[in-house]
Amino acid sequence: MPKRINIEDTLFYLHSKLKLLSEGVSLILEPDLFLELYIQDLDNLQSLLEFCINAIQENEKFIDWEEQVHNVLDLEEDLVELLDTLLQGKGTIGAAFIPISEKLEQYKAGSKNRIVQLEQLLSMRPAEQDNGMVVSPQELRELLQD
């Protein structure tokens, strides 16, 4: 039986996690306590984003398929921004990442590759065209009447 995931909730959770990590950079955090946690979270984000992209690719019949692809793109761009911030050594936690900047560069390269992959997915799918069918105010009133 194939796995069924709720892509919207998964992406919402990943966005919340990424936002938390981004905001943590501006705090005065003890690197000895949080560096390993950040690395684990970044590893997990990489894996989960890959999983979401695969799920989206396998299920092109999602009603909001294009919207979900754009949501993953936004997540990837936010992740690249966080990685850039950490690579610049901003904040106490960012400074702790300087010795392992090579790992962050790998994360960043992976994220950029996924961005290209998502953009290719979008370009291969024809955009939904407006067929000009609009409900007039009069038709709407008739539809909403009991």
Side-chain angles (χ1 to χ4, degrees), residues 10-70:
T10 302
L11 294 178
F12 174 79
Y13 178 80
L14 293 178
H15 176 76
S16 300
K17 186 64 144 176
L18 187 56
K19 184 177 178 184
L20 180 66
L21 292 172
S22 297
E23 289 174 355
V25 174
S26 63
L27 300 174
I28 303 170
L29 298 176
E30 181 59 46
D32 292 341
L33 298 174
F34 290 97
L35 182 63
E36 188 174 323
L37 181 64
Y38 260 75
I39 292 170
Q40 288 173 352
D41 286 341
L42 289 170
D43 280 339
N44 288 337
L45 276 170
Q46 300 290 314
S47 299
L48 292 169
L49 284 168
E50 286 273 343
F51 180 80
C52 288
I53 291 170
N54 290 335
I56 288 172
Q57 283 178 318
E58 292 172 1
N59 297 298
E60 288 189 16
K61 299 207 185 302
F62 277 143
I63 293 173
D64 297 328
W65 183 88
E66 191 171 339
E67 179 183 346
Q68 299 313 323
V69 173
H70 284 289

Side-chain angles (χ1 to χ4, degrees), residues 108-127:
K108 188 175 169 182
S111 197
K112 289 191 176 214
N113 289 337
R114 289 189 299 272
I115 288 172
V116 169
Q117 179 183 5
L118 290 165
E119 289 171 345
Q120 287 174 347
L121 271 178
L122 286 173
S123 68
M124 291 186 323
R125 186 173 178 146

Side-chain angles (χ1 to χ4, degrees), residues 78-116:
D78 290 347
L79 179 58
V80 168
E81 188 176 316
L82 171 62
L83 293 170
D84 282 338
T85 300
L86 293 172
L87 282 165
Q88 294 169 10
K90 292 185 178 176
T92 54
I93 198 74
F97 274 99
I98 292 173
I100 57 170
S101 61
E102 188 175 303
K103 186 173 187 103
L104 294 180
E105 289 290 351
Q106 290 173 351
Y107 289 153
K108 188 175 169 182
S111 197
K112 289 191 176 214
N113 289 337
R114 289 189 299 272
I115 288 172
V116 169

